[in-house]
Amino acid sequence: IHPDVACLVPERREEVSTEGGLSVVGNETRLADAARRLHDAGIVVSLFIDPSEEQIRASREIGADAIELHTGEYANTQDDGQEAQLIRLRQMAELGNGLGLKINAGHGLTYQNVSPVSRIPEIVELNIGHSIIARSIYVGLQAAVAEMRALMDRARMDTRLGTSSDD
């Protein structure tokens, strides 16, 4: 028995939550070995990385199948800064997709900020935990998941229709 997918994520003991992406650049040999061992066991390899061209290209080079773009900077900025981070996420998702990587994203996504990220067509999976669990205290887990899913689905539909509803 083994997982279908393994996402390699950097963690420091003192972190409550991951503060940034895995540094693939500079650790290629070690990560390529880990990816090879996971592949040999029939496990798809994903890397949790910052949305940067260098990290994405290095992820592809070491044999990753997928990347999860760290959305923390997007989630932690406001106004024009958030729009700039969204553009960055979109550009890096396009790059990774063009290199043949499956594109996932997550960290700091909430009911208030998930829709714009959901509209990026190259992103096929969003990893959202804290916000859903916190909401579930008030409405229950099933309703909390359904609310988040509805926001994501509506954003995707807006993209397909070429509209942008108010979230």
Side-chain angles (χ1 to χ4, degrees), residues 96-158:
N97 185 67
L99 293 173
L101 294 164
K102 176 184 172 192
I103 310 300
N104 304 323
H107 192 82
L109 296 175
T110 67
Y111 292 86
Q112 291 73 37
N113 68 14
V114 72
S115 294
V117 177
S118 296
R119 288 186 190 105
I120 300 172
E122 292 80 11
I123 296 176
V124 297
E125 179 180 296
L126 293 175
N127 293 301
I128 306 165
H130 183 267
S131 188
I132 293 172
I133 296 304
R135 177 82 176 131
S136 75
I137 293 169
Y138 299 102
V139 301
L141 189 56
Q142 186 173 357
V145 170
E147 289 173 8
M148 182 62 78
R149 181 62 192 252
L151 288 169
M152 293 167 25
D153 288 345
R154 186 170 44 239
R156 285 288 171 135
M157 184 57 67
D158 288 347

Side-chain angles (χ1 to χ4, degrees), residues 19 48 51 69-77 85 89 106-109:
E19 295 173 358
F48 183 74
L69 297 175
H70 180 255
T71 55
E73 284 187 62
Y74 162 79
N76 292 324
T77 57
Q85 289 300 321
L89 286 168
H107 192 82
L109 296 175

Side-chain angles (χ1 to χ4, degrees), residues 3 10 18 25 39-40 42 45 52 80 82-83 103-104 108 111-112 119 121 126 142-143 146 149 154 162 164:
T18 306
V25 175
H39 283 141
D40 288 349
V45 176
S52 82
D80 291 341
Q82 193 169 53
E83 183 61 29
I103 310 300
N104 304 323
Y111 292 86
Q112 291 73 37
R119 288 186 190 105
L126 293 175
Q142 186 173 357
R149 181 62 192 252
R154 186 170 44 239
S164 180

